[in-house]
Amino acid sequence: MKYIKDFRHKRVSENATVEDFLKELTRKSIHIFSAISVFFAHFFFIPTVCLLGFGLLGYVICEVLRLQGIRVPLISHITQCASRVEDEGRFVLGPVTLVLGIMLALFLFTEPISTVAIFSLSFGDGFASLIGKIYGVSRFKIIKQKTLLGSFSCFCAVFVSTFFVLKNLLLAFFIAIVATLVEVLPLKNFDNIVIPVIVGIFTSFIV
């Protein structure tokens, strides 16, 4: 047991321990894998939206029960494993805004714009948070929560994923710039909603 405890507190970077890394990896794996929703929506739009809606409702119910001391198998465990220190004892809002962001992108925009918007959220924000929080050292002077490495990771992830969709380097570059500028804002969990909406609107004007 002592070995496990020591291992959990072993540092993987200047900013994080093994435990911090695993928590952030759990959180952002869900974030990144949410990108698969675009493929399901392409072939089964209505079932995908319904599944997202029911999943959102189920999660809210599970969180309310968890806060009342009633643990739901698997769901409560995943939430606890993924929650940050500031989330302890509170309703974990991230999954709610993540699903809302995806659903808004699907409802507001047609393909391929909705795909670009969701990929910007899933990959851009996902990799920015994972890499920035664990390995980022240099921070912005005004927005202390954000790191240069995190923002660079966001830019690269959005640029690559957008080029994959649009096959246009110039469009991918400008969309990645916009996504990065939005991601760097101190929006906390609400960036899950703002990023796909702003990226979707911007993409609608330039595509």
Side-chain angles (χ1 to χ4, degrees):
M1 293 296 293
K2 183 178 183 302
Y3 173 79
I4 295 176
K5 183 178 180 180
D6 291 342
F7 178 74
R8 285 171 53 196
H9 291 91
K10 185 176 180 181
R11 304 201 73 80
V12 296
S13 71
E14 182 179 329
N15 299 332
T17 62
V18 170
E19 186 172 14
D20 296 329
F21 175 75
L22 292 176
K23 278 184 175 289
E24 202 62 33
L25 182 62
T26 302
R27 288 173 63 89
K28 295 309 169 181
S29 292
I30 297 171
H31 219 84
I32 293 168
F33 282 116
S34 68
I36 199 172
S37 60
V38 302
F39 299 104
F40 286 108
H42 177 75
F43 296 103
F44 313 102
F45 184 85
I46 299 299
T48 299
V49 171
C50 290
L51 187 61
L52 288 169
F54 284 124
L56 176 58
L57 178 61
Y59 173 78
V60 170
I61 294 172
C62 289
E63 269 297 270
V64 171
L65 292 175
R66 183 180 68 85
L67 292 176
Q68 293 178 348
I70 304 173
R71 296 181 61 82
V72 178
L74 185 61
I75 304 298
S76 295
H77 178 70
I78 292 175
T79 301
Q80 183 177 354
C81 289
S83 61
R84 295 169 178 160
V85 175
E86 60 267 28
D87 291 327
E88 291 182 5
R90 300 179 180 180
F91 188 101
V92 180
L93 192 60
V96 174
T97 56
L98 176 64
V99 173
L100 288 177
I102 292 172
M103 292 180 73
L104 278 172
L106 291 175
F107 281 126
L108 294 175
F109 312 110
T110 57
E111 294 187 67
I113 297 171
S114 60
T115 301
V116 170
I118 293 172
F119 279 3
S120 296
L121 169 61
S122 300
F123 299 127
D125 188 47
F127 281 108
S129 183
L130 177 61
I131 297 175
K133 287 184 182 297
I134 302 302
Y135 297 106
V137 177
S138 300
R139 297 180 181 273
F140 291 98
K141 291 183 178 180
I142 299 177
I143 307 172
K144 301 294 185 181
Q145 311 94 299
K146 303 293 183 174
T147 65
L148 294 174
L149 182 59
S151 295
F152 180 69
S153 300
C154 175
F155 174 84
C156 292
V158 176
F159 178 79
V160 171
S161 61
T162 300
F163 178 72
F164 174 80
V165 176
L166 300 180
K167 304 297 189 297
N168 187 305
L169 285 172
L170 191 60
L171 291 180
F173 175 80
F174 285 116
I175 291 170
I177 289 290
V178 170
T180 303
L181 291 175
V182 176
E183 194 279 331
V184 81
L185 297 175
L187 300 171
K188 296 187 177 180
N189 288 311
F190 292 99
D191 61 355
N192 292 337
I193 296 175
V194 177
I195 289 174
V197 171
I198 296 299
V199 169
I201 292 173
F202 178 75
T203 306
S204 299
F205 280 109
I206 66 172
V207 171

